[in-house]
Amino acid sequence: MKMHRVTAVIFAIAISSAAAAQWANICSSEAANQIRGCDSKGCGGYNRPRGGGRHRGVDVVCKDGAAVYAPFTGKIDRQARPYGNGNAIDDGVQLSGSGFCIKMFYIKPVKHSGAVRKGEKIGVLLPMQSVYRGITSHVHVQNCDLTDPTPNL
């Protein structure tokens, strides 16, 4: 009987891993999801020093004005504003589905709610260079539970 339980646990882990499959390419201007390295504005990796704290997301390289795609099938829950200050890049969305709940910032959404398919256009990258000259333009991706999204990229 114990062998069946072990098999069931292994099977559940396998299904869980399949559900957590790699996300779609996030940006039309890049061939693959690439995390922003370090530049004059900081580093784009998860848990890197950022001001007095730690970076709780990852920055996926993208060119200003490029199409931004849904990383997985699910729904757009709502608009998400990272700063609430109304600057030129203060916009984004919160998405959920496929076992994930994330926020994606610095994009102008094509819609603020509704179903999306993996790889569907959800917006365009806002003009990061107009706000932070010299930064590597990027989409900020953050798990809502603040865990590391890097393994899904």
Side-chain angles (χ1 to χ4, degrees):
M1 192 61 143
K2 286 187 180 192
M3 188 58 135
H4 291 292
R5 286 186 190 147
V6 170
T7 303
V9 169
I10 291 170
F11 184 65
I13 291 169
I15 289 171
S16 197
S17 296
Q22 187 172 20
W23 290 348
N25 190 34
I26 290 173
C27 185
S28 67
S29 67
E30 305 299 316
N33 293 329
Q34 174 187 347
I35 298 174
R36 176 174 75 94
C38 299
D39 56 30
S40 62
K41 305 298 181 187
C43 302
Y46 181 78
N47 210 29
R48 297 298 304 260
R50 186 63 57 92
R54 294 284 180 176
H55 191 223
R56 293 299 177 203
V58 293
D59 297 340
V60 177
V61 175
C62 191
K63 291 188 173 143
D64 291 357
V68 176
Y69 304 119
F72 50 80
T73 297
K75 66 178 183 154
I76 297 175
D77 299 318
R78 64 181 179 85
Q79 184 175 21
R81 295 191 184 269
Y83 306 113
N85 62 10
N87 74 19
I89 61 171
D90 188 33
D91 208 350
V93 292
Q94 179 175 310
L95 296 108
S96 62
S98 301
F100 301 104
C101 183
I102 66 168
K103 293 179 183 176
M104 296 174 71
F105 299 139
Y106 313 136
I107 67 171
K108 178 67 177 164
V110 295
K111 61 183 180 178
H112 292 104
S113 64
V116 292
R117 309 274 302 132
K118 182 177 181 176
E120 178 183 338
K121 180 179 176 181
I122 59 171
V124 296
L125 189 70
L126 290 165
M128 292 204 74
Q129 296 303 315
S130 70
V131 177
Y132 300 114
R133 287 237 178 264
I135 198 168
T136 303
S137 294
H138 62 275
V139 177
H140 176 86
V141 180
Q142 177 177 308
N143 283 337
C144 290
D145 66 1
L146 301 180
T147 59
D148 186 1
T150 305
N152 304 307
L153 297 175

